[in-house]
Structures are given as structure tokens and as C-alpha cells.
Amino acid sequence: MVYHAASDRYDAIPYRRSGRSGLLLPRISLGLWNNFGDDRELSVQRDIVLRAFDRGVTHIDLANNYGPPPGSAEQNFGKILASDLRPYRDELIISSKAGFDMWAGPYGEWGSRKYLLASLDQSLSRMGLDYVDIFYSHRFDPDTPLEETMGALAHAVQSGKALYVGISNYDEEQTRRAYAILKDMGVTLLIHQPRYNLFDRRPEAGLFDALVELGVGGIVYSPLAQGLATDRYLNGIPNDSRVRTANWIDENRINDDYLAHARALNDIAQGRGQTLAQMALTWTMRHPGVTSALIGASSVAQLDDSLKAAHAEPLSDEELEAIEPHAIDQLVGLWS
Ligand SMILES: NC(=O)c1ccc[n+]([C@@H]2O[C@H](COP(=O)([O-])OP(=O)(O)OC[C@H]3O[C@@H](n4cnc5c(N)ncnc54)[C@H](OP(=O)(O)O)[C@@H]3O)[C@@H](O)[C@H]2O)c1
């Protein structure tokens, strides 16, 4: 069936400027790291992506290695673009990244110019695109001069293969250096993609302040802590959950300590008429350093549930105080 985007899609979600750029991003964006590989039905993937766009989610985030297998999420998204979203290309912000292990040999990961530019070409080819809107260095490479990595990003812009560039998983000092090097090359750092959620609060220690000061946007990934900042595990571990179906979080995370805090947070969320997922997003988006919360979803129902957070009342001081004892950085040693 021919897809026609919902005519009221731009009333469905607020947008915020990415730093001091001209680019507006939806307050909630959709990432295809999990649930969009060859292990998932393409029809479900299509339903989620199209539903997101119908709800005004103009930004879809990818990376070279998303799958499984690596590359398949870009390929599958390319199929959805070709079948449904091609007429809407100019309404979409599509990002990709390179940095993690993608192909064999010394040129298949990290931050060399050789790897980044070859990977960008591969991503464009998998998605069937002439350009991505945002191209990221996915992680800081301690062994490659940052000038080389940033030079590759600048080249991606100058060659027309990316409109903007970003960095991900860089700490505050690395971010300041990357920003300055790009600026010298005449390219503005559009955005940073760090992990931030109720159980990983590291960006509060200085990174967010740096982003606000530099005028760089912040799009925070895993704002639902991969499902742990939701009610997904409060009554046992579902067989279709990420804990069971992926390698990223194992069942040891679902221990008594975690459950006590998650249940307390769930009670606070219910007290304000939200699901825990919605409150987790409302909490994440409260920070001035956060332009957009970058969620994942394994179903349209989850997506719909999460997107309601875009219109939620801000948390009151009393609610923030009640949340604070349970918003524990590195809870259950979740993050390295
Ligand atoms: N730059 C980086 O290094 C990096 C790293 C990781 C992620 N990312 C980006 O961030 C995106 C999001 O990451 P993420 O998938 O970890 O995000 P997340 O939003 O923290 O977790 C998504 C998972 O939470 C569960 N969920 C989602 N909505 C729910 C709801 N309303 N109620 C209950 N459970 C819900 C689902 O788990 P089930 O699958 O169990 O249903 C879903 O797969 C990625 O796709 C990627 O684009 C970037």
C-alpha cells in the first residue's frame, strides 16, 4: 500500500534547535541500533519507522555497525526509504557513524581518515543515499591525531556527503578539542551523542555545560537505559526483551537492588500519571544540555508510549527530589 505521511505530523511533537545551529530536531528521535537487524521482521521495522515519522519524528539515527549483522540496519532502513520515505527525504534528518569494529584489518575501526571516509561511502551505498544529514565519529581514538579524525569529518561536509558532523562518546576535554579543531577547519560541530539516563549521569559532570557553552547540541542515547528505566522488567524478564534477545545487558542486571529502585521510580511515575518510560524521558529532557532524547523501540506500542513524554508536564522540584535517591549513576554497575 502506498504510504502517505500523516498530515498533522508537525503538530505531534515539539522541536528544539541543535546548539547554535540552524537545525531543529524533534525532542524525541528514533535510533535503529537494536530491533532493525535481519533478526527482525521488516514489516515491523517499517511500521515503527513510519509511525515515528507520522508523529513528527524527523530524525532517524543509524551507524555502520547496527544490526545484526553489522550493516543490516542501514540496509533495512534503505529498503523503507526506497519503498515509502523517498518522497519525504527533505523532511528527514538521517545520521550515521563510524568508529567501532566494522570490517577486518587495520582500516575497519577507530578514527583514521581511511576508515571514516570508506565507511561513510559504504553507509551511503547501504541506505541508497547521496548524503547523510549528520556523520559522526562514533568514539574517540586515542591513537589517531584528533586533527586527522576531525579532518575526515570536515572532508565529509566539504565533499557534500554529510551536511553536518557530530561526535559520540567523547569526554568533555576531547569534545572541546574536537570543537576547536573543526572550527579552525571552518566546520561547526553540530552535535554530541553521549549516553544519559536515570542510571548513567556522567554527562552532568561537565560535558553538558561544555555543550551549552560551545553552542553544540546534545542528543542523548539509551535514555531508557535499554529498557531498564521502564516497567519492562518489573514482573520478571520477558522472553522478547533485550535482556533475552541481545548481548548488551544480561540478567544479572535485574537484581533486587535494581528492582527496588525501579519500583520506587515506577510509583513516582504512576503518581504523576505517566509510565516509567515516559517519566524517564521527561527527566532526561529536563536538562538544558539535551536537545533530543534518542530512543529505541521494539514495537509501535512502545514508541507511542514513549512519544507521549514529548508533551508531558515538566517535573516539579518535589518530584525531582523524590526521584533523586533512585537516579543512581552506574546503578548495578551497568556501564563501563
Ligand atoms: N552513540 C552510541 O555509541 C550509541 C550507543 C547506543 C545507542 N545509540 C543510539 O541510541 C538509540 C537508542 O538506544 P537504546 O535502544 O539503547 O535506547 P533506549 O530507549 O534506552 O532503550 C530501548 C529499549 O527499551 C525498551 N522500551 C522502549 N520503549 C519502551 C516503553 N515505552 N516501555 C517499555 N520498554 C520500552 C525496548 O526494549 P525491548 O527491546 O526489550 O522491548 C527498547 O528496545 C540507538 O538505536 C542508537 O541510535 C548510540
Side-chain angles (χ1 to χ4, degrees), residues 117 120 135 150-165:
L117 295 178
L120 175 56
F135 184 52
M150 292 305 110
L153 295 188
H155 181 81
V157 171
Q158 282 143 8
S159 62
K161 293 180 182 176
L163 299 186
Y164 302 94
V165 292

Side-chain angles (χ1 to χ4, degrees), residues 96-204:
S96 189
K97 321 184 190 76
F100 288 96
D101 193 10
M102 187 58 195
W103 65 85
Y107 320 118
E109 63 176 329
W110 291 109
S112 69
R113 178 181 177 88
K114 168 79 175 164
Y115 165 59
L116 288 175
L117 295 178
S119 181
L120 175 56
D121 282 342
Q122 292 179 17
S123 291
L124 292 175
S125 155
R126 279 191 289 267
M127 291 189 277
L129 292 173
D130 302 325
Y131 70 94
V132 290
D133 296 276
I134 309 170
F135 184 52
Y136 285 90
S137 163
H138 208 159
R139 60 172 163 171
F140 177 77
D141 178 352
D143 298 318
T144 295
L146 194 53
E147 287 76 6
E148 177 172 336
T149 305
M150 292 305 110
L153 295 188
H155 181 81
V157 171
Q158 282 143 8
S159 62
K161 293 180 182 176
L163 299 186
Y164 302 94
V165 292
I167 55 177
S168 180
N169 300 308
Y170 282 50
D171 70 18
E172 181 192 345
E173 188 262 330
Q174 294 157 355
T175 299
R176 289 183 181 278
R177 282 177 54 213
Y179 173 87
I181 293 167
L182 280 172
K183 193 167 180 232
D184 280 351
M185 295 173 176
V187 174
T188 303
L189 178 62
L190 175 83
I191 200 159
H192 188 308
Q193 193 178 123
R195 180 165 52 208
Y196 182 56
N197 57 54
L198 284 162
F199 307 136
D200 185 349
R201 304 181 61 170
R202 286 173 300 175
E204 292 175 5

Side-chain angles (χ1 to χ4, degrees), residues 31 33 61 168-169 193 222 224 226 232 242 296 298 302 305:
W33 171 38
D61 181 73
S168 180
N169 300 308
Q193 193 178 123
S222 299
L224 301 175
Q226 299 200 52
R232 194 91 168 96
R242 191 174 298 184
S298 62
Q302 282 184 354
D305 180 54

